[in-house]
């Protein structure tokens, strides 16, 4: 290696004494496959590798890859971090790991079936009853409720680490709703883009086979409709830590993403509530903690589940992966008994041993833990918020005494575990290759007569040297995991192939009430932001011109427009105030309208609401569309909210914001099929466009002004509605209120007019799915017909026909006011008809961390 690449070369890799390193192994010589990889990395050089790392972060950010932490002030903006140096595992090494994972999944499956079935393990004393019955994951209502399947444990995950002797250990098992597979797939997708040549030359096993097995495994457990079951992913919602993965897998696998409110149980079956009516559900891949899944029989305070779900399971009308109650297998105390249970069930020794564990419910083990508390990690058997593992050696004398007292009071609730030293793996940190402790999360899925293991998984490393905490919550970094193949891996397609001459009928995916509501509000936020942006941009132009012209008319016009901005955005008191200084020096208020995220109605608040609402239905957007959403939010956050932005710079950022929304509208128009989802999105746009246009007109032209001032206001209104050019083409240099109203209210050929919005809204409402009576109009059809008809019956000349001594166009105000009331009533009726199933988003704080990814 030359000098320019030595800084990331293997010969300058400083390992730790007594620690197994994945690259150097036992002989402290670089393994052949690592040597080839490191030579390729060294050829790139540290600067080029840093560019690849940044490119990876850009791709992850634009794809919306996040890992949210409850209570994190960044909310949905915490990025998923990826190290460009993967973990390499040889095929020989992996074959042993794969066999051990299959064996372990099979063993835990048998334990699960027994605990909720015949309970022979408890009756024979092979498992202490206190260990099982005292665990929060044991759900008594689920006893006898598991369907008669060969494998109940459908999806299994384990956290693995190598000890000092190089042997792979299982740190813990994940059996409830294992997370991380989607992140592993996204990591792989990004790595193939940033290191394509190295990836191709290294011959890495592909991941697609695992996801094909997952799809087949879920279809196999469907109690009904096995040839084409309806499979849904049950998520707690967009505020959940791993919501990105839920949406990502939904899109990748072609499953509906649902929340508890999207499902209902009737006549012992689970149904999906959609705009087209109730759709039967056959399989639920749940990402909600099992105790939250049924408020009727399990946790009654839960807002995340479906009342009656467990009864539907008992009747064998729906299958759940993993079954309710499977979190009992995550009890760390169970690790101490697995070797004996492996011999009992399988007549085999464990291929992958667990980290040494002592359950304190047994006197000898409890005494050992109490005597060696300095050298052990103490864990409660129940994982919950604020109830974490304690490193005995890091506790003060008083803390140790308190811990000893807690163990003695309830010994069955604690375990002691050996503090193992993880292996280190090469990582690219601050432009250098350095060792970091690593943990590998692997995945297995029941498919056919066996378990299929993902060739690789999600590797996580500590951010800081000497740190053993690798979770993303604590700032850990992820890695791709490359399992090396002896020969190039074959491409596995997720697609099923029908017969050569078969043409299958297209199946329209049902739109849930929650998704419909969010799509509708994405459209409303979009138009709300556009209206405020264009009006603010017009004001900034006027503000820049006023000092130069020094004309009182400009000041009067500016005052009216500033007041209109407050009325259009609803940010009272704003410029509608008795404080004259706010109008004389509007800069601070204008900047606050652009920057203040906490104030309702501001651009910053609406942009954040737009992005969060779009994120809550992440699965409906194409990749390009989501990238557009990310760019809109991120740029405004960086340049305006967090940046040192003045009014001159704000003008440019407003231009960019409009361009971003035009791109979003173009992408949705081009990429969304004209089904219920698009109808809801566009209906939201049309309704909000109508309301903001009416608010602008009421704030500017309803009040009578002298001709010179009115001309300025009319021109400003045309500019802020993007209608000036079309007006000029039609009316040349003449500007009069009747002609402006004709264009903005009555002209159905003009896409910015009120008539155009109402006409489109009428078409959309007529196309929405619903139960149709014989010749009867629905309430929403009646309202939009009345609004549209009332507008068409208006004579513009009558709107502006008032006596000279009257200061308000009262007929115009009356028409606009009545139209506003009709449109708000229309929204209420639409919400009742189509969104009544959806709930206001809430922060769902779980009783335990999602999965410590």
């Amino acid at each position: 290696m030359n000098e320019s690449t030595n800084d990331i070369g293997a010969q300058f890799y400083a390992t730790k004494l007594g620690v197994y390193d994945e690259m150097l192994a036992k002989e402290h010589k670089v393994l052949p496959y690592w040597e080839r990889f490191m030579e390729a990395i060294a050829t790139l050089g540290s600067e080029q590798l840093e560019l690849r790392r940044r490119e990876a972060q850009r791709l992850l950010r634009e794809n919306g890859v996040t890992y949210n932490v409850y209570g994190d002030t960044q909310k949905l903006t915490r990025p998923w971090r990826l190290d460009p140096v993967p973990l390499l595992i040889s095929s020989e090494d992996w074959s042993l790991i794969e066999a051990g994972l299959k064996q372990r999944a099979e063993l835990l499956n048998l334990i699960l079936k027994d605990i909720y079935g015949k309970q022979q393990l408890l009756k024979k004393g092979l498992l202490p009853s206190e260990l099982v019955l005292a665990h929060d994951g044991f759900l008594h209502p689920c006893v006898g409720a598991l369907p008669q399947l060969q494998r109940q444990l459908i999806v299994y995950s384990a956290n693995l680490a190598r000890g000092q002797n190089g042997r792979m250990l299982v740190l813990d098992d994940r059996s409830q709703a294992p997370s991380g597979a989607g992140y592993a797939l996204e990591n792989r997708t990004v790595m193939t883009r940033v290191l394509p040549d190295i990836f191709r030359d290294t011959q890495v096993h592909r991941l697609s086979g695992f996801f094909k097995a997952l799809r087949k495994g879920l279809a196999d457990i469907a109690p009904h409709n096995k040839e084409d079951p309806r499979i849904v992913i049950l998520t707690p919602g967009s505020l959940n830590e791993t919501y990105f993965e839920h949406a990502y897998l939904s899109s990748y696998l072609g499953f509906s993403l649902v929340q508890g409110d999207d499902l209902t149980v009737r006549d012992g079956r689970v149904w999906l509530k959609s705009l087209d009516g109730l759709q039967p559900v056959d399989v639920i891949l749940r990402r909600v903690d099992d105790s939250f899944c049924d408020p009727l029989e399990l946790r009654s305070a839960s807002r995340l589940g479906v009342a009656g779900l467990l009864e539907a399971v008992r009747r064998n009308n729906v299958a759940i992966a993993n079954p309710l109650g499977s979190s009992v297998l995550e009890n760390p105390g169970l690790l101490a008994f697995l070797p004996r249970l492996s011999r009992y069930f399988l007549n085999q020794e464990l291929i992958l041993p667990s980290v040494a564990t002592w359950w304190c419910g047994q006197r000898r083990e409890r005494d050992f833990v109490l005597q060696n508390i300095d050298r052990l990690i103490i864990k409660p058997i129940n994982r919950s918020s604020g109830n974490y593992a304690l490193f005995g050696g890091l506790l003060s004398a008083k803390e140790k005494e308190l811990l000893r007292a807690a163990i003695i009071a309830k010994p069955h609730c604690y375990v002691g575990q050996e503090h193992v030293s993880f292996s280190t793996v090469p990582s690219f940190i601050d432009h250098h290759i350095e060792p970091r402790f690593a943990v590998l999360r692997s995945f297995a899925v029941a498919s056919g007569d066996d378990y299929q293991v993902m060739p690789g998984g999600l590797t996580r490393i500590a951010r800081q040297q000497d740190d053993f905490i690798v979770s993303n919550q604590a700032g850990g970094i992820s890695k791709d995991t490359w399992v090396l193949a002896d020969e190039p891996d074959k491409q596995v397609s997720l697609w099923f192939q029908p017969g050569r001459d078969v043409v299958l009928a297209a199946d329209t995916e049902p739109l849930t009430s929650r998704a419909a509501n969010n799509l509708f509000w994405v459209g409303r936020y979009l138009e709300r932001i556009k209206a405020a942006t264009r009006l603010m941009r017009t004001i900034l132009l006027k503000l820049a011109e006023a000092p130069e012209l020094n004309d009182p008319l400009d000041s009067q016009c500016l005052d009216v427009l500033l007041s209109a901005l407050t009325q259009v955005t609803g940010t009272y008191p704003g410029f509608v105030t008795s404080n004259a200084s706010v109008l004389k020096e509007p800069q601070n208020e204008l900047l606050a309208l652009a920057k203040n995220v906490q104030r309702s109605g501001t651009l910053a608040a609406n942009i954040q609401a737009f992005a969060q609402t779009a994120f809550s239905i992440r699965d409906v957007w194409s990749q390009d569309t989501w990238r557009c959403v990310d760019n809109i939010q991120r740029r405004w956050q960086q340049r305006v909210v967090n940046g040192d932005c003045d009014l001159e710079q704000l003008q440019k950022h407003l231009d960019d914001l409009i361009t971003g929304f035009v791109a979003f509208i173009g992408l949705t128009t081009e990429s969304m099929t004209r089904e219920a989802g698009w109808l809801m999105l566009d209906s939201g746009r049309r309704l909000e466009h109508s309301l903001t246009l009416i608010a602008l007109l009421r704030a500017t032209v309803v009040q009578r002004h002298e001709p010179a001032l009115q001309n300025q206001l009319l021109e400003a209104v045309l500019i802020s509605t993007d209608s000036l050019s079309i007006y000029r083409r039609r009316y040349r240099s003449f500007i009069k209120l009747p002609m402006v109203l004709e264009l903005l209210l009555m002209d159905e050929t003009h896409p910015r007019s009120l008539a155009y919005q109402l006409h489109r809204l009428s078409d959309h409402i007529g196309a929405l799915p619903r139960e149709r009576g014989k010749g009867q109009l629905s309430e929403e059809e009646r309202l939009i017909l009345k609004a549209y008809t009332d507008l068409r019956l208006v004579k513009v000349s009558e709107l502006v026909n008032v006596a000279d001594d009257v200061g308000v166009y009262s007929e115009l105000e009356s028409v606009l006011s009545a139209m506003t009331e009709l449109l708000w009533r229309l929204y209420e009726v639409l919400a009742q008809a189509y969104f009544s199933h959806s709930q206001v988003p809430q922060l769902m704080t779980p009783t335990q961390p999602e999965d410590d990814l």
Side-chain angles (χ1 to χ4, degrees), residues 62-63 193 622-632:
E62 290 183 348
N63 290 347
R193 288 189 60 178
S622 70
Q623 200 64 57
D624 288 337
T625 306
W626 177 254
R627 190 175 295 116
C628 188
V629 173
D630 173 76
N631 286 338
I632 289 170

Side-chain angles (χ1 to χ4, degrees), residues 405-421:
I407 293 174
I408 291 171
K410 293 184 177 180
H412 63 281
C413 292
Y414 293 90
V415 299
Q417 287 188 335
E418 178 187 7
H419 187 181
V420 297
S421 177

Side-chain angles (χ1 to χ4, degrees), residues 287-308:
R287 299 303 298 268
V288 174
D289 290 352
D290 47 17
S291 62
F292 285 82
C293 284
D294 187 349
L296 194 62
E297 295 196 58
L298 302 174
R299 191 181 294 264
S300 60
S302 171
R303 296 282 299 275
L304 306 178
V306 187

Side-chain angles (χ1 to χ4, degrees), residues 349-364:
E349 297 296 330
L350 285 177
I351 298 173
L352 293 177
S354 309
V355 61
T357 302
W358 295 268
W359 177 57
C360 297
Q362 297 168 306
R363 180 181 297 274
R364 187 174 64 176

Side-chain angles (χ1 to χ4, degrees), residues 104 156-160 169-174 330 332 335 354-355 379 383 417 439 441 460 852:
R104 201 173 184 93
Y156 165 71
S157 176
N159 287 324
L160 307 175
L169 299 172
V170 176
L171 302 179
D172 50 44
D173 300 291
R174 290 287 181 264
E330 296 184 359
L335 298 178
S354 309
V355 61
K379 292 182 179 179
R383 275 193 322 134
Q417 287 188 335
V439 171
R441 174 164 292 191
R460 291 160 293 151
D852 296 333

Side-chain angles (χ1 to χ4, degrees), residues 280-522:
V281 173
D282 300 298
V283 180
I284 299 174
L285 175 60
R286 67 178 177 88
R287 299 303 298 268
V288 174
D289 290 352
D290 47 17
S291 62
F292 285 82
C293 284
D294 187 349
L296 194 62
E297 295 196 58
L298 302 174
R299 191 181 294 264
S300 60
S302 171
R303 296 282 299 275
L304 306 178
V306 187
L309 181 60
L310 187 53
E311 179 60 25
V313 172
R314 287 195 190 99
R315 296 190 186 187
N316 197 32
N317 283 333
V318 70
I320 302 178
N322 285 330
L324 302 181
S326 56
S327 60
V328 70
L329 299 177
E330 296 184 359
N331 186 340
L334 196 61
L335 298 178
F337 298 89
L338 288 185
R340 181 167 59 176
L341 295 180
S342 179
R343 291 189 291 270
Y344 172 76
F345 277 120
L346 306 175
N347 197 26
Q348 298 172 359
E349 297 296 330
L350 285 177
I351 298 173
L352 293 177
S354 309
V355 61
T357 302
W358 295 268
W359 177 57
C360 297
Q362 297 168 306
R363 180 181 297 274
R364 187 174 64 176
E365 282 73 8
R366 181 198 64 189
D367 293 342
F368 175 83
V369 169
L370 292 174
Q371 292 166 11
N372 295 275
I373 205 166
D374 291 328
R375 299 188 295 115
L376 298 176
I377 299 173
I378 310 301
K379 292 182 179 179
I381 63 171
N382 293 305
R383 275 193 322 134
S384 62
S385 229
N387 202 8
Y388 304 113
L390 298 173
F391 290 77
L394 301 179
L395 300 178
S396 65
K398 184 177 181 180
E399 289 171 332
K400 289 177 187 174
E401 286 306 312
L402 290 174
L403 182 57
R404 285 192 176 96
I407 293 174
I408 291 171
K410 293 184 177 180
H412 63 281
C413 292
Y414 293 90
V415 299
Q417 287 188 335
E418 178 187 7
H419 187 181
V420 297
S421 177
F422 302 165
S423 64
T424 54
V425 61
S427 306
F428 188 62
I429 308 292
D430 298 331
H431 296 76
H432 299 282
I433 297 292
E434 299 178 1
R436 287 293 186 273
F437 292 118
V439 171
L440 167 63
R441 174 164 292 191
S442 56
F443 305 90
V445 59
S447 183
D449 296 328
D450 199 2
Y451 280 92
Q452 182 158 337
V453 177
M454 177 189 290
L458 179 64
T459 298
R460 291 160 293 151
I461 60 170
R463 178 67 180 88
Q464 303 296 331
Q465 206 159 8
D466 301 325
D467 193 351
F468 283 93
I469 300 176
V470 301
S471 70
N472 193 275
Q473 287 184 340
I477 303 171
S478 70
K479 279 178 174 286
D480 193 10
T481 308
W482 292 5
V483 175
L484 308 184
D486 296 328
E487 57 185 28
D489 214 3
K490 293 181 180 179
Q491 177 71 42
V492 176
S493 174
L494 288 181
W495 296 102
F496 296 111
Q497 298 298 322
R500 180 178 300 176
D501 298 324
V502 174
V503 178
L504 299 178
D507 184 19
T508 302
E509 183 67 17
L511 184 71
T512 66
S513 301
R514 173 189 55 84
N517 187 29
N518 284 316
L519 281 163
F520 191 85
W521 273 99
V522 165

Side-chain angles (χ1 to χ4, degrees), residues 697-715:
L697 294 175
R698 293 178 72 183
T700 53
V701 301
V702 164
Q703 191 80 22
R704 291 188 68 184
H705 304 282
E706 59 179 288
L709 176 56
Q710 187 181 64
N711 288 348
Q712 280 205 35
L713 286 173
L714 290 175
E715 183 179 11

Side-chain angles (χ1 to χ4, degrees), residues 681-700:
L681 174 67
D682 206 55
S683 294
R685 285 189 58 207
R686 302 305 164 190
L687 179 67
E688 190 66 28
H689 189 114
S690 301
L691 289 169
T692 53
L693 176 60
I694 292 171
L696 176 63
L697 294 175
R698 293 178 72 183
T700 53

